[in-house]
Amino acid sequence: MIRRIRNARLAGPEGGRLVDVEIEGGRIAAVRPARPGAAGGRAGGSAGGAPGREEELELEGLLLAPGFLDPHVHGAVGADFGSGQEEQIHRILAYLPKWGVTGCLATLRTASPERLRSAVEALGAYVQRPGEAALLGIHLEGPFLSPEAAGAQDRAELRLPDALEFRRLLEASNGRLCMITLAPELPGARELIRMAAAAGVQVAMGHSAATWEEALAGLEAGAIHVTHLFNGMRPWHHRDPGLAGLALADPRLTVHLIADGQHLHPGAVRAAWNATRAAAGRGPRLALMSDAMEATGLGDGLYVRANGQRITVRDGVARLEGGTLAGGTATLGHAVERLVAWGLPLDEAVEAAGAVIAPHLGCGRSRGRVAPGYLADLVALDERGRIRRVLLGGELVHRHGDVHGGEPGAGAGGRRGASGAAAAQRGGGEP
């Protein structure tokens, strides 16, 4: 258990100063100016030693950030949250901390009512295990989505907003249903948005062909998020801005974005970044999401989902047989590294990977800041945004190379691990 972190740099206006962080009972007890000349070195510069055994962690000026929070992850390492299988849920949550993700929403794709309810029940009953990313809730990406913007969703299972089905899923979730993505232009969508908001479930607009007016009506009904900006929605046009235009223009919306180098051009990311940065009276509102699917952490190959979809991953890019992108294979840790490589500030990148979304996940007072009282779920990064250390509750659980040097992060979508042939032999994400 780490009890003291030495010489860490914090993000923010005073990011140049070095601090020491005291940890007690898995939480941050104090953040103080670093003591001149103090250098622990017992867990910092050396790549040796077993994670979790040291009491002092020397960071030598690395950026110390709150653990990343992913509001949209479907799976990883051959497992899918939609399977509803305890072992697969565990595999995903155990993998994510390696790349700095210490909490997530388990995101479920469109499926039959029976399969969706079964997955929700399993996630609602799941008991957290040590060393895992926190399961902060459930995110339903569907089934109330537009066939015109379905992307990799199962078109055969898309359906119109249904209050009864939503209530049943809410009841089955054991209080863990946190977010739902829907298309605001569908008949009955506004009523369902109001119902969800009244039940404490946050609504995101996505997989939608909505016009500006239809998206604005969804916002005014209670939607507060936009799912994977530019992907799965009407393209922005200067006379028909649609949902994408509203996302950039209206400060009431938190904008979720995939920065894996495949879903969006870096120029589009930069435009969204500039449009959603902090302004007078409000903070930044762009939150990173991964859309990670079952190939994340495995490699290239053929993956077959339970609904029969065949997905080919080549050079880290997942596509359906027709060429449609089928989710991401990179984590938020990879996304932060990419943003820095594209010239965006590291301090702001780590904020988009955690602090922006934390209040929306019901954990704004325990996650998303390096401050007294907050959980000691922490990530240390070098100036290039590469992850060097990961802590869960004060335990050092992952170490990547030396503090300044050594092995860099796998910046291209988690292609470390199994070969494509091995991944194909596994039969993909679900048995």
Side-chain angles (χ1 to χ4, degrees):
M1 172 73 73
I2 300 297
R3 301 185 184 279
R4 181 180 297 106
I5 298 174
R6 297 284 195 191
N7 295 308
R9 184 177 74 83
L10 298 185
E14 300 181 21
R17 68 189 180 106
L18 295 179
V19 299
D20 293 341
V21 178
E22 306 286 340
I23 298 173
E24 294 179 5
R27 291 183 178 266
I28 297 170
V31 178
R32 301 187 177 93
R35 290 188 296 168
R42 295 175 60 186
S46 172
R53 293 183 182 176
E54 303 90 346
E55 292 191 356
E56 192 166 287
L57 179 64
E58 168 61 44
L59 291 186
E60 301 178 15
L62 291 183
L63 180 74
L64 185 66
F68 303 152
L69 306 175
D70 194 339
H72 194 130
V73 52
H74 294 283
V77 287
D80 190 328
F81 283 126
S83 71
Q85 297 180 18
E86 183 177 356
E87 189 274 336
Q88 292 202 31
I89 298 170
H90 166 68
R91 278 161 56 195
I92 300 165
L93 296 176
Y95 170 78
L96 292 176
K98 179 178 181 180
W99 299 111
V101 179
T102 60
C104 73
L105 294 185
T107 304
L108 302 178
R109 302 179 192 89
T110 296
S112 68
E114 297 76 20
R115 184 171 176 81
L116 205 54
R117 183 181 175 90
S118 176
V120 167
E121 286 178 339
L123 289 163
Y126 184 77
V127 178
Q128 204 80 39
R129 304 184 196 179
E132 295 180 342
L135 178 58
L136 298 174
I138 301 167
H139 177 182
L140 297 176
E141 190 186 18
F144 312 130
L145 307 174
S146 169
E148 298 178 54
Q153 298 280 336
D154 188 346
R155 279 177 164 79
E157 296 293 351
L158 295 178
R159 38 203 185 268
L160 294 178
D162 184 319
L164 180 58
E165 181 175 4
F166 174 78
R167 286 196 193 97
R168 287 173 174 167
L169 291 170
L170 181 62
E171 292 169 0
S173 75
N174 192 29
R176 280 185 160 173
L177 183 55
C178 178
M179 188 178 296
I180 182 171
T181 292
L182 53 73
E185 73 275 18
L186 296 178
R190 276 178 278 179
E191 292 76 9
L192 190 63
I193 291 171
R194 284 190 283 267
M195 177 187 298
V201 177
Q202 299 183 42
V203 179
M205 297 183 286
H207 285 285
S208 165
T211 63
W212 171 283
E213 291 76 16
E214 290 168 332
L216 181 59
L219 169 60
E220 292 176 343
I224 58 174
H225 300 274
V226 173
T227 291
H228 44 53
L229 178 66
F230 300 130
N231 297 121
M233 61 186 64
R234 177 194 297 259
W236 186 90
H237 187 277
H238 59 284
R239 287 192 295 273
D240 183 16
L243 174 57
L246 185 69
L248 296 177
D250 200 304
R252 293 174 289 178
L253 288 167
T254 300
V255 180
H256 304 196
L257 177 145
I258 308 172
D260 62 358
Q262 303 297 335
H263 282 77
L264 298 175
H265 187 281
V269 174
R270 185 177 291 277
W273 196 274
N274 290 336
T276 57
R277 293 178 84 168
R282 62 174 174 84
R285 56 190 185 90
L286 189 144
L288 294 176
M289 54 166 279
S290 68
D291 205 8
M293 46 80 77
E294 51 267 42
T296 302
L298 285 184
D300 292 355
L302 175 65
Y303 296 81
V304 182
R305 289 179 175 157
N307 62 1
Q309 283 183 325
R310 295 167 65 86
I311 297 169
T312 300
V313 180
R314 184 175 293 114
D315 296 328
V317 183
R319 295 185 183 275
L320 299 181
E321 291 179 300
T324 300
L325 286 170
T329 62
T331 67
L332 292 196
H334 302 118
V336 167
E337 188 177 341
R338 284 189 183 277
L339 290 175
V340 174
W342 295 340
L344 295 169
L346 174 59
D347 287 8
E348 295 182 24
V350 298
E351 190 172 33
V356 171
I357 200 65
H360 299 290
L361 303 184
C363 57
R365 295 185 179 181
S366 60
R367 301 175 186 272
R369 292 184 62 195
V370 181
Y374 283 71
L375 289 170
D377 289 356
L378 302 166
V379 181
L381 307 98
D382 65 18
E383 68 282 355
R384 292 168 57 183
R386 299 178 301 181
I387 293 172
R388 292 305 177 197
R389 303 288 183 267
V390 182
L391 287 81
L392 284 177
E395 294 280 356
L396 180 61
V397 295
H398 288 290
R399 182 198 305 273
H400 295 263
D402 293 337
V403 168
H404 296 285
E407 179 183 331
R415 294 199 298 275
R416 304 188 189 279
S419 67
Q425 288 173 2
R426 287 185 177 87
E430 297 181 18

